[in-house]
Amino acid sequence: MTDNIVYFSGRPDGIGNRIEQLINIQEYCIENNLHCNYSWNNSNFRNYLPLISFDNIEIVNTKNSNNIKNSSNIKFNRTKDFRIRYKFDFNINFNIKYDTIIHVRATDRLNSNIKNEDYSNITELNIFIEKIINYVNNNTEINTYTIISDDNRYIDNIKNRINKQFITLSYDYNIPNEWLDYYYLTKPEKNIIMCCKFSSYSITAAVLANKPLLCFKQSLKSNLPRYKANVQFID
């Protein structure tokens, strides 16, 4: 080991949580002239391949037991204008364009007894959906759009009620859907719409893409502000 290498044990959480760590670690390493070894940890509940790369960071699947730096003990101070240097570790024939991509986060972000401000219930999600449908239909700058979701029922429901051109995304690749969806989130021409109160998945995609994140004022009560995304409100 050389003096300019540090080791981080990553969170065994969702892709968005890991990307947030990697964004913060990259700026920390570049500012401090460091190279980082990041252990991509999985669990029984969250198990993903590391299909993304960041400059100054080596992402590895095995944990180095020596010199692990717990990133929670480092004071990160990400600046909003920091240019993130990353690339996806796969290639697809991407020749489609869409102005807006809507991310509907349901499943584990829905809870009838809301745990904290990062969660919603089904009633609140339905209100968000109604507002987004009205927003897209009435926004003259949006001509084309697409949707990703962890529940396909929402895609069909919203698509049938928006009068703009829907762009169909291809999943005919040997790439996990969670990474294809994340890739598509980073490729809109204009913005990303977060259809939930909080999702690090769509928030970090907006940060990587350097695109506006459209959401609701209720999201300010969640952990959204710490990401320093370019936030614009629908309501």
Side-chain angles (χ1 to χ4, degrees):
M1 188 191 88
T2 60
D3 291 339
N4 69 334
I5 298 179
V6 291
Y7 295 85
F8 294 88
S9 182
R11 294 172 59 174
D13 294 326
I15 288 174
N17 298 123
R18 301 167 193 243
I19 299 298
E20 181 197 10
Q21 276 196 317
L22 289 162
I23 290 169
N24 290 332
I25 289 169
Q26 183 182 76
E27 183 170 4
Y28 171 82
C29 290
I30 289 174
E31 284 185 347
N32 292 281
N33 194 30
L34 296 170
H35 184 83
C36 303
N37 183 297
Y38 179 90
S39 294
W40 183 276
N41 294 313
N42 284 314
S43 66
N44 291 332
F45 180 58
R46 301 286 193 184
N47 197 318
Y48 308 105
L49 294 171
L51 298 182
I52 194 168
S53 298
F54 287 77
D55 286 5
N56 284 61
I57 302 174
E58 180 182 3
I59 301 175
V60 295
N61 271 314
T62 55
K63 183 185 293 186
N64 185 323
S65 60
N66 298 317
N67 303 304
I68 295 291
K69 247 189 194 187
N70 187 334
S71 58
S72 63
N73 296 330
I74 292 176
K75 200 167 185 181
F76 292 120
N77 186 25
R78 191 179 83 78
T79 52
K80 199 167 184 178
D81 58 352
F82 174 71
R83 186 176 66 84
I84 303 160
R85 306 165 197 175
Y86 77 100
K87 69 179 182 66
F88 290 97
D89 295 334
F90 53 84
N91 295 307
I92 67 174
N93 296 320
F94 188 79
N95 55 6
I96 56 175
K97 293 184 182 297
Y98 40 89
D99 294 326
T100 296
I101 183 167
I102 301 168
H103 175 217
V104 184
R105 178 75 179 271
T107 59
D108 64 331
R109 282 293 165 191
L110 293 180
N111 194 299
S112 56
N113 298 311
I114 296 177
K115 297 178 181 178
N116 59 49
E117 294 294 344
D118 288 353
Y119 290 82
S120 298
N121 55 40
I122 188 66
T123 300
E124 188 171 47
L125 178 63
N126 286 333
I127 291 171
F128 291 159
I129 289 172
E130 292 298 319
K131 288 182 177 180
I132 284 170
I133 290 170
N134 289 332
Y135 176 84
V136 175
N137 279 334
N138 292 301
N139 190 313
T140 58
E141 294 184 358
I142 297 175
N143 297 306
T144 57
Y145 76 100
T146 193
I147 310 170
I148 64 160
S149 178
D150 50 8
D151 188 333
N152 287 335
R153 292 175 300 173
Y154 290 106
I155 296 177
D156 294 334
N157 174 271
I158 295 171
K159 182 174 67 172
N160 291 334
R161 298 174 61 200
I162 290 180
N163 56 26
K164 304 295 179 72
Q165 182 183 355
F166 178 78
I167 304 299
T168 301
L169 302 173
S170 175
Y171 292 88
D172 190 22
Y173 300 99
N174 188 25
I175 300 167
N177 283 359
E178 61 268 16
W179 277 112
L180 278 174
D181 278 345
Y182 193 77
Y183 176 88
Y184 290 136
L185 271 174
T186 66
K187 297 300 180 181
E189 296 291 305
K190 295 182 178 177
N191 52 51
I192 297 166
I193 298 178
M194 183 172 70
C195 185
C196 59
K197 188 183 290 182
F198 172 85
S199 172
S200 60
Y201 194 69
S202 46
I203 297 169
T204 56
V207 172
L208 290 185
N210 195 26
K211 298 290 185 182
L213 178 77
L214 277 56
C215 59
F216 305 94
K217 291 177 182 175
Q218 293 99 308
S219 296
L220 287 175
K221 297 178 181 179
S222 72
N223 277 306
L224 170 64
R226 81 173 188 223
Y227 289 78
K228 300 181 181 177
N230 178 9
V231 172
Q232 297 177 8
F233 295 114
I234 291 174
D235 53 352

